[in-house]
Amino acid sequence: MSKPLRSLIKVIVLGDCGVGKTSLVNQYVFKKFRQQYKATIGADFATKELEIGERVATLQIWDTAGQERFHSLGVAFYRGADCCILVYDVNVPKSFETLQRWHEEFIKQADLTEPEKFPFVLIGNKVDLEGGSIETVSEKKAKEWCDSRGNIHYFMTSAKEDYNVDAAFLCAAQLALANE
Ligand code: GTP
Ligand code: MG
């Protein structure tokens, strides 16, 4: 039997503070969820191994800080990324509006040679809170945003209820491998 092909995939997770970046990573890697908010300072990283067909991929997931004052610390990690996951909170329209800025800044700071070919995944998180009286960002609007910026893949998730979290990270890994 031949040895499986091994790949290291660097994934960067970006988005406003409080949208659930750390919660998504913790749910995906450790199957844990914490109700309490603790802001990420700079960036943290976690790894997870997964099998994709014949390959064994190690995802190195960089969870960056959304808070403005810690922002510049995160930028240093963008270089060498194989995939970027952009996150917003479906219940916070402002976190959707700032995606544009996160997207553009990533393209610039990661120094992408062919941004249109680079794999991006968009996550609308906290769908478990949807349906209250508050204004939410519609799925249609999110999909339109993805289409207008090339082929960005979209997932609606709940880090709290572990809904669609695996699917979103698996997609990120598959896109990165396909782009190698
Ligand atoms: P920064 O590190 O400051 O950039 O924030 P973050 O994007 O990492 O957010 P974090 O994961 O720390 O989550 C912020 C708050 O939202 C925490 O209180 C979480 O418990 C909560 N939260 C995260 N994901 C979900 C979700 O899917 N549903 C619900 N109901 N709450 C969530
Ligand atoms: Mg965080």
Side-chain angles (χ1 to χ4, degrees), residues 13-26 33-41 63-67 70 87 89 91 102 125-129 157-162 165:
V13 186
L14 301 179
D16 278 4
C17 63
V19 296
K21 298 178 297 299
T22 301
S23 303
L24 286 161
V25 175
N26 284 343
F33 176 77
R34 239 176 52 154
Q35 197 72 50
Q36 241 173 322
Y37 171 49
K38 189 166 158 259
T40 304
I41 297 170
D63 167 27
T64 64
Q67 278 194 31
F70 303 132
V87 186
D89 179 339
N91 310 290
W102 288 110
N125 188 41
K126 305 198 192 181
V127 290
D128 58 286
L129 294 177
T157 64
S158 166
K160 183 175 180 181
E161 296 183 350
D162 195 12
V165 177

Side-chain angles (χ1 to χ4, degrees), residues 39-121:
T40 304
I41 297 170
D44 287 330
F45 88 91
T47 59
K48 177 153 168 142
E49 222 172 63
L50 72 170
E51 282 176 38
I52 301 178
E54 305 274 279
R55 332 258 312 232
V56 176
T58 303
L59 282 192
Q60 187 186 77
I61 307 166
W62 288 84
D63 167 27
T64 64
Q67 278 194 31
E68 196 63 48
R69 62 198 161 121
F70 303 132
H71 182 76
S72 57
L73 297 167
V75 171
F77 302 104
Y78 294 5
R79 256 168 209 270
D82 300 300
C83 182
C84 176
I85 300 181
L86 298 161
V87 186
Y88 71 99
D89 179 339
V90 295
N91 310 290
V92 181
K94 178 155 182 308
S95 70
F96 179 76
E97 282 148 30
T98 49
L99 287 173
Q100 174 78 6
R101 210 192 89 201
W102 288 110
H103 183 240
E104 279 169 9
E105 197 194 20
F106 177 80
I107 290 173
K108 192 168 148 231
Q109 301 285 355
D111 204 13
L112 303 182
T113 43
E114 291 180 295
E116 62 291 340
K117 286 195 185 153
F118 189 85
F120 283 96
V121 170

Side-chain angles (χ1 to χ4, degrees), residues 130-170:
E130 239 182 356
S133 56
I134 39 174
E135 190 197 346
T136 60
V137 180
S138 73
E139 189 177 350
K140 184 168 170 275
K141 205 169 163 188
K143 283 187 171 158
E144 278 168 8
W145 189 83
C146 290
D147 292 342
S148 71
R149 264 143 205 91
N151 199 20
I152 300 182
H153 294 248
Y154 178 61
F155 291 86
M156 287 171 93
T157 64
S158 166
K160 183 175 180 181
E161 296 183 350
D162 195 12
Y163 169 73
N164 239 0
V165 177
D166 283 12
F169 280 97
L170 178 62

